């Protein structure tokens, strides 16, 4: 993925982005292309005043910009300025609360996407139902191995984005096509972490992943 297509926000911009509605609005602009505040309000179930406010806040930090070629005196169009956001972990204790807040908001939005998809399964035709998948796997890793797995996940997703991902005007959809969301997560299960100097908790067999389902 080209460097100019990646937003790498500093602490102030990351703090501004760490709002559930802003994360969702930015995701919609990246996925579906330019839109007005009114159109976005209809999609997220709020009013255009709220979406206009949050779009302006996103614009202040360079996440979105006005699509002047599409607007007129009656309506204002907005577009995303990057294809994705890269945050990473800086290791700076002063930045950690901002990074943690963004991670929680982003994870919540991705979980909500998955729930909304599951709730719509009943109306999905068989061909699309066959493309639905949800998987997890639990691995016993040390820190270095965990970072290697993370790098592989990111490399895989970057490859998909380069081949099928959105252009400046969002994803190309049409008859027989839909926006197909692929999520990649990797995290240490909190219950498996022991305080420093203590042995890890006893593992219990069974289950196919972190949920033990």
């Amino acid at each position: 993925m080209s460097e100019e297509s990646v937003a790498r926000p500093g602490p102030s911009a990351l703090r501004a982005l760490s709002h559930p509605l802003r994360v969702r609005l930015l995701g919609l602009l990246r996925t579906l292309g330019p839109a007005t505040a009114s159109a976005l309000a209809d999609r997220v179930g709020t009013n255009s005043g709220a979406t206009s406010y949050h779009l302006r806040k996103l614009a202040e930090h360079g996440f979105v910009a006005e699509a002047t070629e599409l607007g007129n005196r009656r309506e204002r169009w907005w577009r995303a300025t990057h294809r994705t956001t890269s945050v990473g972990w800086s290791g700076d204790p002063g930045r950690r609360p901002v990074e943690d807040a963004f991670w929680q908001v982003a994870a919540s939005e991705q979980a909500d996407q998955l729930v909304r998809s599951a709730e719509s399964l009943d109306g999905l035709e068989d061909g699309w139902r066959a493309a639905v998948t949800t998987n997890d796997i639990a691995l016993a890793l040390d820190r270095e191995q965990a970072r290697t797995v993370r790098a592989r996940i990111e490399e895989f997703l970057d490859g998909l984005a380069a081949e099928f991902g959105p252009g400046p005007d969002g994803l190309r959809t049409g008859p027989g096509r839909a926006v197909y969301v692929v999520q990649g997560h990797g995290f240490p299960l909190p219950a498996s972490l022991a305080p420093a100097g203590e042995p890890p908790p006893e593992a219990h067999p069974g289950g196919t992943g972190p949920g033990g389902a």
Side-chain angles (χ1 to χ4, degrees), residues 42-121:
D42 289 342
R43 285 191 169 274
V44 301
T46 187
N47 60 75
S48 60
T51 52
S52 292
Y53 170 78
H54 290 295
L55 287 166
R56 290 195 300 271
K57 289 297 181 182
L58 289 170
E60 287 178 10
H61 295 277
F63 294 107
V64 306
E66 192 172 352
T68 54
E69 73 281 8
L70 299 175
N72 55 43
R73 282 185 289 183
R74 296 189 59 185
E75 59 182 7
R76 194 177 187 183
W77 286 69
W78 298 90
R79 67 161 24 101
T81 54
H82 304 86
R83 286 174 58 180
T84 187
T85 301
S86 178
V87 175
W89 305 107
S90 66
D92 178 358
R95 183 181 160 104
R96 179 173 291 180
V98 182
E99 293 172 342
D100 290 354
F102 173 75
W103 194 94
Q104 291 170 27
V105 171
S108 178
E109 170 58 18
Q110 291 176 8
D112 286 347
Q113 278 189 333
L114 186 58
V115 170
R116 292 193 294 268
S117 175
E119 291 173 345
S120 70
L121 283 175

